[in-house]
Amino acid sequence: VALGLARHPGGDPQRQWDRLEREIERLDGLISQVLKLARLHGTDAPFEREEFDLDEVIEQVVRDANYEGAVKGCQVTLAGAARATLHGNRELLSSAIENVLRNALHYSPQGAPVEVSVARREAAGLSIVIRDHGPGVPAGELERIFEPFYRVAESRDRDTGGEGIGLAITSQVMKAHGGSAMANNHTGGGLEVSLSLPSAALA
């Protein structure tokens, strides 16, 4: 559509080129996410692993998210620490956390905080909990938000939401590291997403 409008005489070429650029960037990002999701299909998907510090990854993602949150006046806070290393894929785990944080910032009201809490318990492993103060998700759809291309009809559409891939990637990344991703509506409002890693994966 954008290409057709750009070719139409009498239009605003610069405006249409800008729109084409945005659409190409969106499609490029979508293709990248689809390929990443396909690569992660199944918990035994092969990918490069290395030992890395979990706190470094979490802190970097939170810092980056704060740059995005500043546009809406939303501050991302971080409480707790992993104090652990993980034998896994730094880039994928960073992407998994980032996807949840971006989702939280997107649906948070203007000026509302997004809270990240990290806790490690020897028996239960590590948990990274991300809570926003947005509209939450209908109870019957909480498990489905981690399915590929699934979007909650009441709050996600093409104009205001993504393509329903980000949280699916997060779920697959956590599974590939022996963990899981779960969501629930917080009693005080907003959505709470818990990312867990087992003790056996940590050092």
Side-chain angles (χ1 to χ4, degrees), residues 9 13 72 112-113 129 175 181 188:
K72 295 175 65 176
V129 180
K175 287 179 181 177

Side-chain angles (χ1 to χ4, degrees), residues 5-149:
L5 289 171
R7 287 173 170 166
H8 194 275
D12 183 345
Q14 186 59 51
R15 183 179 177 184
Q16 295 306 326
W17 291 128
D18 289 343
R19 182 179 176 185
L20 275 169
E21 185 176 14
R22 289 195 304 272
E23 291 296 326
I24 290 169
E25 287 175 355
R26 188 182 71 83
L27 287 171
D28 184 59
L30 176 60
I31 291 168
S32 176
Q33 285 194 311
V34 169
L35 290 173
K36 184 181 290 185
L37 184 61
R39 185 161 59 97
L40 285 166
H41 186 67
T43 56
D44 58 347
F47 53 81
E48 293 183 5
R49 293 178 183 264
E50 60 177 328
E51 296 283 344
F52 62 89
D53 187 284
L54 274 171
D55 285 319
E56 287 182 5
V57 170
I58 296 169
E59 289 166 8
Q60 183 62 57
V61 174
V62 168
R63 279 196 297 270
D64 291 345
N66 264 311
Y67 286 117
E68 293 187 33
V71 177
K72 295 175 65 176
C74 296
Q75 183 181 10
V76 182
T77 62
L78 174 62
R83 297 185 180 88
T85 59
L86 175 70
H87 183 66
N89 188 287
R90 180 192 293 262
E91 180 186 348
L92 289 176
L93 192 71
S94 176
S95 176
I97 302 169
E98 180 185 25
N99 288 341
V100 180
L101 270 176
R102 282 189 167 180
N103 192 68
L105 286 169
H106 184 84
Y107 292 103
S108 285
Q110 190 84 18
V114 172
E115 299 148 15
V116 181
S117 59
V118 183
R120 184 181 181 186
R121 299 175 182 85
E122 290 304 321
L126 179 81
S127 68
I128 304 168
V129 180
I130 298 168
R131 181 203 170 186
D132 63 46
H133 292 264
V137 171
E141 301 184 59
L142 284 168
E143 292 185 10
R144 299 202 64 192
I145 63 174
F146 296 104
E147 296 177 7
F149 305 107

Side-chain angles (χ1 to χ4, degrees), residues 122-197:
E122 290 304 321
L126 179 81
S127 68
I128 304 168
V129 180
I130 298 168
R131 181 203 170 186
D132 63 46
H133 292 264
V137 171
E141 301 184 59
L142 284 168
E143 292 185 10
R144 299 202 64 192
I145 63 174
F146 296 104
E147 296 177 7
F149 305 107
Y150 186 80
R151 293 177 294 178
V152 179
E154 292 181 5
S155 60
R156 291 168 173 80
D157 56 36
R158 182 170 178 176
D159 295 326
T160 62
E163 301 293 340
I165 301 176
L167 292 182
I169 289 174
T170 292
S171 178
Q172 289 298 321
V173 169
M174 300 313 295
K175 287 179 181 177
H177 287 85
S180 64
M182 297 179 63
N184 66 276
N185 290 311
H186 196 277
T187 53
L191 185 69
E192 188 175 75
V193 176
S194 301
L195 309 178
S196 67
L197 289 165

